[in-house]
């Protein structure tokens, strides 16, 4: 089991919140610690957005709690009604992610009614202390680098996809191992979508940086699309290839073509990182695709419905190749603009 940066930073944020609470003389560090846990986010932009949203809803929650104390006093029903009101306000403001910490603020303030308004304000300051500690840790310690993390996950997904595709036709891998690897691939692709969302949210300040970032986002979308098409090919091979009559006759051609596509995919990723020579020809021959399509057309001449299954496999290979070529052209355009 590995300890991720976010896990480590959560612990550090809690420790810092407790330490600052002691320096400021708060009676208990609990509220500040809870606030720091809610504020840690996977990116600096999300962390800043969370601070902004939390500050707004917590100020509103504190005002509502103080007003309710003055009007209705401290009763379980009053606390429950104020919580309902604060939830509705947060939803109305489209700040649902702040509800948890805002409710902590409301309950903490209303629970301190006997100690007076100074204690209520002190508890609100505890919340701000925890939020500040979390933001400071998120920015200063292992700051998130969504672009680098996205690139690492793209390579991880490709390695898993390549292994599965290269053994799909030959059927060399044990079924249990194959299914486990495929599940890992799907898990990585889900994480990749989440990482892209974080990457997409990051803001660039200068106009030039915004333009470069927009081009990088296009490339990133293309990378995800290519991986998804490779995953689709894997599913179609598993569903249709082995059920087609005479599939063994096509094993060598299909296996060789998929091998070329995975090699092409790998070279494209290297090219995106500037690791390929400028004059390197990495695209597989399109004539081979045309020849395979012509052979399949002849093969389909006989009226056998199951023979169409091989067309599904070939179509998935051609679509995978199409998106790989689109990705390479996009990378070429972006690199020319950036240079």
């Amino acid at each position: 089991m590995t300890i991720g940066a976010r896990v480590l930073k959560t612990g550090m944020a809690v420790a810092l919140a407790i330490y600052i609470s002691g320096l400021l003389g708060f009676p208990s560090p609990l509220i500040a610690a809870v606030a720091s846990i809610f504020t840690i986010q996977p990116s600096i932009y999300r962390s800043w957005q969370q601070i902004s949203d939390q500050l707004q809803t917590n100020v509103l929650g504190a005002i509502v709690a103080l007003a309710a104390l003055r009007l209705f006093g401290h009763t379980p029903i009053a606390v429950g009604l104020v919580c309902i009101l604060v939830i509705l306000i947060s939803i109305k403001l489209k700040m649902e992610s702040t509800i948890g910490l805002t409710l902590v603020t409301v309950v903490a303030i209303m629970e301190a009614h006997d100690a007076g308004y100074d204690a209520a304000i002190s508890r609100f300051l505890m919340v701000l202390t925890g939020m500040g500690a979390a933001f400071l840790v998120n920015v200063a310690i292992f700051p998130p680098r969504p672009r680098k993390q996205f690139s690492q996950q793209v390579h991880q997904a490709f390695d898993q996809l390549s292994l599965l595709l290269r053994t799909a036709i030959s059927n060399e891998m044990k079924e249990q191992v194959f299914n486990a690897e495929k599940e890992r691939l799907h898990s990585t692709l889900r994480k990749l979508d989440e990482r892209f969302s974080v990457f997409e949210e990051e803001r660039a300040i200068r106009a030039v940086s915004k333009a470069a970032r927009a081009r990088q986002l296009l490339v990133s979308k293309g990378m995800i699309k290519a991986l998804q098409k490779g995953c689709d090919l894997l599913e179609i091979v598993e569903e249709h290839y082995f059920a087609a009559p005479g599939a063994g006759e096509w094993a060598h051609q299909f296996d060789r073509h998929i091998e070329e596509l995975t090699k092409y995919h790998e070279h494209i990723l290297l090219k995106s990182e500037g690791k390929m020579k400028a004059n390197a020809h990495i695209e597989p021959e399109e004539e081979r695709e045309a020849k395979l399509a012509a052979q399949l057309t002849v093969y389909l001449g006989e009226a056998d419905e199951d023979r169409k299954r091989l067309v599904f496999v070939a179509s998935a290979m051609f679509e995978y190749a199409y998106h790989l070529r689109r990705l390479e052209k996009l990378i070429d355009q972006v690199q020319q603009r950036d240079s």
Side-chain angles (χ1 to χ4, degrees):
M1 181 181 294
T2 57
I3 300 177
R6 190 175 177 184
V7 174
L8 182 61
K9 288 195 290 185
T10 300
M12 296 177 70
V14 170
L16 182 60
I18 293 173
Y19 178 73
I20 295 175
S21 296
L23 291 179
L24 296 178
F26 292 144
S28 171
L30 178 61
I31 297 175
V34 171
S36 67
I37 294 171
F38 276 101
T39 309
I40 285 290
Q41 296 293 318
S43 73
I44 293 176
Y45 171 76
R46 281 193 183 181
S47 189
W48 175 251
Q49 187 66 45
Q50 184 77 349
I51 287 279
S52 175
D53 293 347
Q54 292 280 19
L55 190 58
Q56 295 177 59
T57 56
N58 274 270
V59 168
L60 285 172
I63 293 173
V64 172
L66 290 171
L69 276 176
R70 194 174 191 86
L71 294 173
F72 308 112
H74 177 271
T75 64
I77 294 177
V79 175
L81 291 174
V82 170
C83 287
I84 292 173
L85 180 59
V86 167
I87 291 173
L88 293 176
I89 292 174
S90 299
I91 293 174
K92 185 69 176 178
L93 294 174
K94 297 181 179 180
M95 297 179 182
E96 292 88 347
S97 63
T98 67
I99 290 175
L101 183 56
T102 305
L103 292 181
V104 170
T105 303
V106 168
V107 174
I109 289 175
M110 296 191 74
E111 189 269 337
H113 68 289
D114 291 334
Y117 288 107
D118 289 342
I121 293 173
S122 175
R123 297 197 174 190
F124 178 67
L125 292 177
M126 293 179 196
V127 173
L128 297 183
T129 299
M131 292 164 57
F135 184 74
L136 182 62
V137 168
N138 210 30
V139 172
I141 309 298
F142 305 126
R145 293 182 173 86
R147 180 172 177 176
K148 181 180 179 181
Q149 292 166 341
F150 177 84
S151 178
Q152 290 173 342
Q153 286 193 329
V154 165
H155 280 281
Q156 181 183 353
F158 170 73
D159 290 342
Q160 294 166 349
L161 175 65
S162 174
L163 172 64
L164 292 170
L165 283 177
R166 286 185 286 107
T167 57
I169 297 294
S170 58
N171 199 23
E172 295 167 335
M173 193 179 294
K174 292 181 179 179
E175 185 176 356
Q176 184 178 1
V177 177
F178 185 89
N179 291 333
E181 290 295 327
K182 189 168 69 170
E183 182 56 37
R184 284 182 58 213
L185 172 61
H186 287 307
S187 176
T188 303
L189 289 177
R190 287 193 295 269
K191 292 178 182 177
L192 191 60
D193 285 333
E194 295 171 4
R195 184 62 59 188
F196 177 77
S197 298
V198 175
F199 180 29
E200 193 175 25
E201 289 172 350
E202 291 294 301
R203 297 293 188 261
I205 299 175
R206 297 182 299 128
V208 176
S209 299
K210 288 181 179 179
R213 181 178 166 279
R215 291 193 291 270
Q216 188 59 45
L217 283 174
L218 285 175
V219 172
S220 300
K221 281 185 178 179
M223 288 179 174
I224 293 177
K225 190 71 173 179
L227 287 168
Q228 289 172 340
K229 291 302 176 182
C231 195
D232 291 344
L233 170 58
L234 187 66
E235 297 289 348
I236 290 173
V237 167
E238 191 174 8
E239 181 179 357
H240 293 291
Y241 175 77
F242 296 103
E249 301 173 13
W250 298 86
H252 178 70
Q253 292 187 65
F254 279 24
D255 195 43
R256 184 177 178 184
H257 194 69
I258 290 176
E259 181 73 30
E260 286 187 352
L261 290 178
T262 54
K263 184 179 179 181
Y264 181 35
H265 197 163
E266 181 181 21
H267 285 172
I268 289 174
L269 295 181
L270 292 173
K271 189 175 190 178
S272 70
E273 297 173 352
K275 296 180 179 179
M276 297 292 292
K277 293 180 179 179
N279 59 348
H281 180 74
I282 62 176
E283 183 180 351
E285 298 178 5
E286 292 191 41
E287 290 78 6
R288 184 168 294 160
E289 288 185 6
K291 182 179 178 182
L292 179 60
Q295 290 174 336
L296 282 169
T297 302
V298 175
Y299 179 74
L300 287 172
E302 299 182 20
D304 189 338
E305 191 71 19
D306 283 338
R307 291 197 172 196
K308 294 180 181 179
R309 289 178 177 270
L310 288 182
V311 177
F312 298 150
V313 179
S315 177
M317 287 194 300
F318 298 155
E319 188 170 7
Y320 180 35
Y322 168 77
H323 283 280
L324 288 177
R325 291 190 177 98
R326 282 191 62 183
L327 177 59
E328 185 190 9
K329 290 177 183 177
L330 183 59
I331 290 172
D332 287 339
Q333 294 171 358
V334 168
Q335 289 180 342
Q336 288 173 5
R337 288 291 299 271
D338 291 343
S339 61

